[in-house]
Amino acid sequence: MSNKTFYVTTPIYYVNDVPHIGHAYTTVLADVLSRYHKLLGDEVFFLTGTDEHGQKVQQAAEKRGVTPQAHCDEYSERFKSAWKDLNIDFNHFIRTTDKAHVEYVQRKMEELWNKKLPSGESLIYDKEYSGWYSTSEERFFSEDELVDGKDPISNRAVEWITEKNYFFRMSAFQEKLIHYIEIEKPDFILPDFRKNEVLGFLKQPLRDLCISRPKSRLNWGITLPDPDYVAYVWVDALLNYASAVDGKKFKTIGNNVWPADFHLIGKDILTTHAIYWTTLLMALEMPLPKHILAHGWWMIDNARMSKTTGNVVSPLAMKDKYGVDAFRFFLIREMTMGYDATFSDAIFVTRLNASLANDVGNGLSRVLKLAEFLEFKLDYSQDNFSEYVRFGNSSASAQPQLFAYESLINTSRAVIRELPGMVEKVFLSFALDSHVGLFGDLNRYLEVSAPWKLAKGGEVEKRLLNNILWHCSEAMRIGFTLLHPVMPKKMDEALAALGWTFEESQKQLVWRDSGSFSLKSISPLFPRIDTKTIPVADAPGKTESTDPFSSVELRAVKILSVEDHPNAEALYVLQVDAGGETRTVCAGLRKHLTKEELIGKMGVLVANLKPASLRGVMSQGMMLAADSEGGKLSLANPESAQPGDAITAEGLESHPKPQINLKDFEKCPLAAKGGKVHYKGKELRSPHGAVLAQAPDGAVVK
Ligand code: ME8
């Protein structure tokens, strides 16, 4: 029985938006993770909901001529019903306009208002404040945060506003926060490179947080202890995670549901969670969540899928086209935790046909077809197996079969054994890969033992056929049970074909040595999708998911400093800002460029190259440079990119491995064409533009 509890949250989504596959991803991830925990016997609480206060909602309601509350009631429903259609089994759907939430926020604000730091300073103070205010982001930006005088996030106009506001003394918690993230709970922010980003951010002095908005400007919010003000929408929203479970206890052990085990979020909202939320909780002296997991973005044609970009894909349309379970599988399998993933129909169909139709569905169809010869009844005890080896084969010809059989059992046992670790680390994409791999083993076992040759034979042959099909059915039972959290409906069907229910099967999540199966024929689980029905421009094959370039991580970086290598005449030692983390990189540019030509410039770093000591200096990656006129090298220049931006090749999937060798990178020839860097004719790009090379066409970039 359960001896652990698990509380998982998704962000609460802005109620104005239409659910797209970005939202669907986090929510499906939380659902799949919850179901895996349940499979492992844990008691789960899974929270999602909608974020309903703020200026944008007020304005949208005004525009439609309805009250903000009526607007929210209608729009919130779109998320709820989308999640129902995607088979999301949440425990609670919170809305920030819920009475209980509003009262909770007011209580917590009251508490903050009355609290003092040990120094005697109050946690909340008021101040006349002037700044650039963005209506779109509902926050102030400092002068140096603006990009071309505009809000750096939405790229919209900002206005200069002066007003009195209330501030939370967030700065007082900076040291404590750094200590917590770095020392006390090194796995608080996941994955690791996101933690480093936050720590990088925390190297700057932390500012206090403006937590109020005057009602004269915005009244659609939660009233603060000063009745002329409402709470800043992020403070209101973040508190949802605690308000939803206030006073709630898990049944099994009776522990409080708060704190959360995992806040699942997109990388866009890491700062608000890792910094605002954590310091607020510290101030309120509440337990901190155990992990914040920031996943990457779904990208379309190298741009983040978002309402602002206008490239959203509806999860419901995908569900209608490919089925809810295939869609869930694709989301979880395709995104490697932490990294961005590309969405296209072509990638989807390739994945579906390869994993679900070929491996999983085909395995079941083959077994069911052969089982007809045994009237769908299979019986097995270990003794039978020795019989199979004894009678069925000479020892030489039995070797490959025995090998395939053992591999099938070993893989089945291994996937069961590895599950808790994978779930704990939220390595779900890898877990699915190994579950599908089990079906690969099964199909290989069928190939080498060729049971169709036995189907029309006598008693001994029938017994051997029975044994082979029994092994396959047992492996499939395990495989279907392990895939159930991702594809509950299809796996219920699949288990029913084996004469099992998920509930029964999960109680026996081991490879059994004996037992019986009563099989039942069903129509194909995952029919192959005809690639001819996909638009040509998007057809599979163009995406080349196994291309060696997909394992390379290229990142835009800014060169912070340049020094001569103490021990190598050709090398510089650079310090580069790689997006929140500073890296030391050795570059053979000393004969080609002066320090002044490099400092402050942007470049492209091969970021996942195995660190190597170059004449005594550890180089954490390699800068890309092009062979230019006159034997000189010039730096590849990611136009308008920000440090940390991913650089990818247009139309090619990117699944960077944690680490690659120089040899892996050398398999990816880069060349200049038309002043831009290309890989196999595809332009390298950051989300903001192409990567430029001052080099003639055909020049090598390395
Ligand atoms: O930020 N790829 O709400 P939001 C992957 N209300 N995930 C994506 C995505 C993409 N392209 N686009 C969005 C808010 N998401 C606040 C949250 S929480 C206290 C308040 C997902 O509607 C991802 O989970 O903008 C991201 O963090 C979330 O949607 C943002 O949703």
Side-chain angles (χ1 to χ4, degrees):
M1 259 320 277
S2 168
N3 56 6
K4 278 200 283 171
T5 57
F6 185 72
Y7 173 28
V8 62
T9 69
T10 73
I12 46 171
Y13 304 108
Y14 288 128
V15 75
N16 272 355
D17 282 356
V18 180
H20 60 66
I21 68 163
H23 308 123
Y25 174 71
T26 321
T27 317
V28 169
L29 177 65
D31 185 60
V32 172
L33 192 58
S34 295
R35 289 176 190 259
Y36 272 122
H37 273 274
K38 287 188 220 169
L39 175 63
L40 294 171
D42 297 343
E43 186 184 343
V44 170
F45 195 89
F46 163 17
L47 177 74
T48 187
T50 41
D51 191 350
E52 305 191 356
H53 288 125
Q55 203 144 330
K56 277 184 265 183
V57 174
Q58 186 174 313
Q59 284 165 350
E62 270 164 22
K63 221 164 145 187
R64 297 177 65 218
V66 296
T67 63
Q69 188 63 57
H71 174 78
C72 291
D73 290 349
E74 190 184 327
Y75 276 51
S76 175
E77 207 44 51
R78 298 196 298 198
F79 279 92
K80 226 181 189 169
S81 82
W83 301 157
K84 193 161 160 257
D85 288 344
L86 294 181
N87 205 0
I88 306 288
D89 190 17
F90 53 77
N91 293 80
H92 186 62
F93 188 97
I94 188 166
R95 301 179 48 191
T96 50
T97 53
D98 288 340
K99 187 160 169 274
H101 173 77
V102 172
E103 287 172 3
Y104 184 88
V105 173
Q106 286 177 328
R107 271 205 316 278
K108 289 294 165 185
M109 287 298 114
E110 197 77 50
E111 214 178 301
L112 276 186
W113 243 252
N114 297 327
K115 260 198 155 112
K116 287 201 174 3
L117 287 163
S119 62
E121 287 173 310
S122 47
L123 276 172
I124 305 289
Y125 62 92
D126 63 358
K127 188 174 85 172
E128 187 83 14
Y129 184 81
S130 298
W132 293 108
Y133 187 77
S134 156
T135 318
S136 157
E137 289 306 309
E138 300 181 28
R139 55 166 281 202
F140 285 96
F141 289 97
S142 62
E143 185 80 40
D144 51 316
E145 282 176 305
L146 300 183
V147 174
D148 299 332
K150 289 187 180 157
D151 160 350
I153 299 172
S154 68
N155 200 25
R156 300 233 169 96
V158 287
E159 49 182 324
W160 184 258
I161 290 184
T162 301
E163 64 190 20
K164 182 184 104 171
N165 263 310
Y166 288 91
F167 287 79
F168 162 51
R169 217 177 285 276
M170 192 157 76
S171 55
F173 296 90
Q174 177 157 12
E175 287 315 311
K176 198 172 169 190
L177 181 63
I178 294 174
H179 189 261
Y180 187 73
I181 298 174
E182 210 165 27
I183 315 283
E184 261 179 81
K185 189 96 175 79
D187 61 352
F188 179 54
I189 298 168
L190 296 168
D192 231 33
F193 63 90
R194 296 275 170 233
K195 167 174 90 175
N196 295 336
E197 231 175 72
V198 173
L199 286 171
F201 181 86
L202 286 169
K203 288 204 177 109
Q204 312 294 328
L206 196 55
R207 295 191 190 141
D208 290 340
L209 180 68
C210 177
I211 58 153
S212 66
R213 297 292 180 263
K215 280 194 180 165
S216 54
R217 187 145 57 76
L218 165 74
N219 61 31
W220 185 238
I222 299 180
T223 303
L224 288 173
D226 177 339
D228 291 334
Y229 288 83
V230 295
Y232 168 40
V233 68
W234 266 103
V235 170
D236 163 358
L238 287 163
L239 277 162
N240 94 85
Y241 299 133
S243 80
V245 296
D246 186 37
K248 281 204 173 80
K249 288 186 188 303
F250 281 109
K251 289 188 203 82
T252 22
I253 339 186
N255 53 323
N256 289 330
V257 175
W258 183 258
D261 289 274
F262 268 93
H263 287 317
L264 304 180
I265 57 170
K267 64 180 180 183
D268 48 319
I269 54 174
L270 181 56
T271 311
T272 47
H273 283 75
I275 300 180
Y276 300 1
W277 181 223
T278 315
T279 52
L280 270 171
L281 287 167
M282 285 175 169
L284 289 164
E285 296 174 89
M286 284 169 69
L288 304 183
K290 291 178 200 151
H291 307 283
I292 296 173
L293 178 71
H295 62 70
W297 285 336
W298 284 95
M299 312 283 284
I300 290 188
D301 297 335
N302 274 317
R304 175 189 173 192
M305 184 184 306
S306 75
K307 194 165 111 180
T308 334
T309 325
N311 59 354
V312 298
V313 174
S314 155
L316 301 180
M318 295 310 291
K319 177 210 85 167
D320 291 341
K321 206 155 146 193
Y322 300 111
V324 58
D325 283 337
F327 176 58
R328 289 168 58 107
F329 176 85
F330 173 77
L331 290 181
I332 302 302
R333 173 63 188 84
E334 198 61 26
M335 187 172 265
T336 307
M337 194 41 71
Y339 294 100
D340 293 347
T342 302
F343 185 86
S344 80
D345 274 277
I347 301 175
F348 193 119
V349 170
T350 310
R351 175 70 73 198
L352 223 76
N353 281 347
S355 298
L356 296 185
N358 281 7
D359 287 339
V360 179
N362 201 23
L364 178 64
S365 301
R366 291 168 96 182
V367 170
L368 290 177
K369 218 162 164 189
L370 289 165
E372 246 184 286
F373 293 98
L374 302 171
E375 283 153 12
F376 293 105
K377 296 266 181 284
L378 308 175
D379 270 299
Y380 182 71
S381 72
Q382 242 182 339
D383 284 341
N384 281 345
F385 183 65
S386 42
E387 200 174 303
Y388 156 55
V389 176
R390 226 170 333 122
F391 294 121
N393 301 280
S394 69
S395 58
S397 67
Q399 276 309 314
Q401 291 180 45
L402 257 182
F403 186 72
Y405 162 76
E406 272 165 11
S407 157
L408 186 63
I409 297 197
N410 289 340
T411 310
S412 301
R413 292 199 170 126
V415 291
I416 297 170
R417 201 172 49 239
E418 285 162 7
L419 185 69
M422 298 273 196
V423 170
E424 196 181 331
K425 296 200 199 89
V426 200
F427 284 168
L428 300 188
S429 168
F430 296 128
L432 296 200
D433 199 29
S434 67
H435 301 164
V436 171
L438 177 57
F439 289 85
D441 271 24
L442 180 147
N443 283 307
R444 263 187 301 281
Y445 176 56
L446 284 174
E447 292 303 331
V448 294
S449 53
W452 43 89
K453 289 187 188 153
L454 304 166
K456 296 207 171 107
E459 202 188 312
V460 173
E461 283 80 5
K462 284 269 160 68
R463 198 149 59 226
L464 299 185
L465 177 63
N466 167 75
N467 293 353
I468 294 168
L469 296 186
W470 193 94
H471 299 144
C472 290
S473 301
E474 184 63 357
M476 285 197 293
R477 182 184 70 81
I478 290 168
F480 294 150
T481 309
L482 293 176
L483 286 170
H484 190 273
V486 196
M487 303 186 281
K489 287 195 178 132
K490 284 282 175 191
M491 293 304 106
D492 277 341
E493 275 176 48
L495 282 163
L498 300 180
W500 281 79
T501 62
F502 170 65
E503 287 66 29
E504 280 306 314
S505 185
Q506 69 169 334
K507 283 187 213 149
Q508 296 189 55
L509 198 47
V510 286
W511 177 275
R512 297 168 309 147
D513 290 324
S514 61
S516 54
F517 279 99
S518 182
L519 306 181
K520 179 174 107 219
S521 188
I522 59 167
S523 49
L525 265 189
F526 299 107
R528 266 189 85 78
I529 294 170
D530 183 357
T531 47
K532 286 197 211 81
T533 58
I534 305 167
V536 180
D538 207 18
K542 294 216 162 183
T543 55
E544 297 167 43
S545 63
T546 51
D547 191 291
F549 190 74
S550 69
S551 58
V552 178
E553 186 194 357
L554 295 184
R555 237 194 264 174
V557 297
K558 186 173 188 173
I559 301 174
L560 303 174
S561 70
V562 184
E563 309 219 343
D564 292 339
H565 190 293
N567 203 15
E569 270 181 16
L571 297 182
Y572 279 134
V573 180
L574 315 178
Q575 298 296 327
V576 300
D577 173 357
E581 57 169 322
T582 306
R583 294 226 192 158
T584 304
V585 182
C586 296
L589 296 171
R590 211 150 132 190
K591 285 198 288 214
H592 305 274
L593 293 161
T594 64
K595 290 179 185 162
E596 290 67 36
E597 284 171 313
L598 288 169
I599 291 175
K601 294 278 160 44
M602 294 295 294
V604 176
L605 181 76
V606 185
N608 61 344
L609 198 63
K610 191 171 172 202
S613 170
L614 296 183
R615 296 274 194 100
V617 176
M618 192 52 95
S619 182
Q620 302 164 297
M622 187 171 78
M623 298 294 289
L624 287 190
D627 279 335
S628 298
E629 314 276 350
K632 289 268 177 200
L633 286 178
S634 71
L635 215 52
N637 168 21
E639 203 187 12
S640 333
Q642 302 289 321
D645 280 349
I647 309 281
T648 51
E650 225 169 7
L652 249 172
E653 278 186 73
S654 177
H655 292 292
K657 289 191 179 150
Q659 206 164 72
I660 58 167
N661 294 318
L662 193 55
K663 265 210 262 136
D664 301 322
F665 181 66
E666 284 168 353
K667 286 185 201 142
C668 307
L670 299 175
K673 198 174 111 198
K676 294 176 181 168
V677 181
H678 286 75
Y679 171 69
K680 291 191 184 164
K682 298 177 171 75
E683 229 176 81
L684 295 199
R685 298 185 64 83
S686 77
H688 302 282
V691 177
L692 308 181
Q694 275 180 356
D697 282 2
V700 172
V701 182
K702 59 189 183 225

